[in-house]
């Protein structure tokens, strides 16, 4: 069963996804939707919400890349340290 995600982990991931989705939706809605006198979404509100979502996605991607770079550096540092410690004197 290597490589498969347990049902409990799938449920946890889905809950985290829904929490993130709800947070983004609420933040973008509060920032962008200002006029409640019409059932239609105004073009500027649509543009604002598109930009809000794009900004979030780009930020998430950038954080993920930096996090990955950090872990690579940490692993390289640990490998170098382990190499120094295990070298015969």
């Amino acid at each position: 069963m290597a490589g498969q995600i347990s049902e409990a982990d799938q449920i946890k991931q889905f809950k985290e996804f829904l929490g993130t989705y709800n947070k983004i939706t609420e933040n973008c809605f509060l920032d962008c939707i200002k006029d409640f006198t019409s059932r239609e979404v105004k073009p500027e509100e649509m543009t604002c919400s598109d930009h809000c979502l794009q900004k979030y996605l780009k930020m998430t991607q950038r954080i993920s890349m930096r996090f990955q770079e950090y872990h690579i550096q940490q692993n390289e540092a640990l490998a170098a340290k382990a190499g120094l410690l295990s070298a015969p004197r």
Side-chain angles (χ1 to χ4, degrees), residues 28-82:
C28 292
F29 181 85
L30 292 174
D31 287 347
C32 298
I33 308 301
K34 305 295 181 193
D35 183 12
F36 296 99
T37 60
S38 170
R39 295 177 60 96
E40 301 297 319
V41 178
K42 292 183 176 183
E44 58 270 13
E45 292 172 332
M46 185 64 74
T47 301
C48 177
S49 62
D50 287 344
H51 289 164
C52 180
L53 178 58
Q54 288 300 320
K55 188 173 184 177
Y56 176 81
L57 292 174
K58 287 179 183 178
M59 183 244 351
T60 302
Q61 182 181 26
R62 186 171 181 169
I63 289 172
S64 179
M65 289 173 57
R66 295 297 177 255
F67 186 71
Q68 188 177 20
E69 290 170 2
Y70 172 78
H71 277 285
I72 290 170
Q73 290 174 350
Q74 292 299 312
N75 288 339
E76 289 173 351
L78 286 173
K81 187 175 181 181

Side-chain angles (χ1 to χ4, degrees), residues 11-25:
I11 291 170
K12 181 181 175 185
Q13 285 180 346
F14 188 67
K15 285 181 179 180
E16 289 173 0
F17 165 77
L18 286 178
T20 301
Y21 175 83
N22 288 336
K23 183 177 178 181
I24 295 167
T25 302

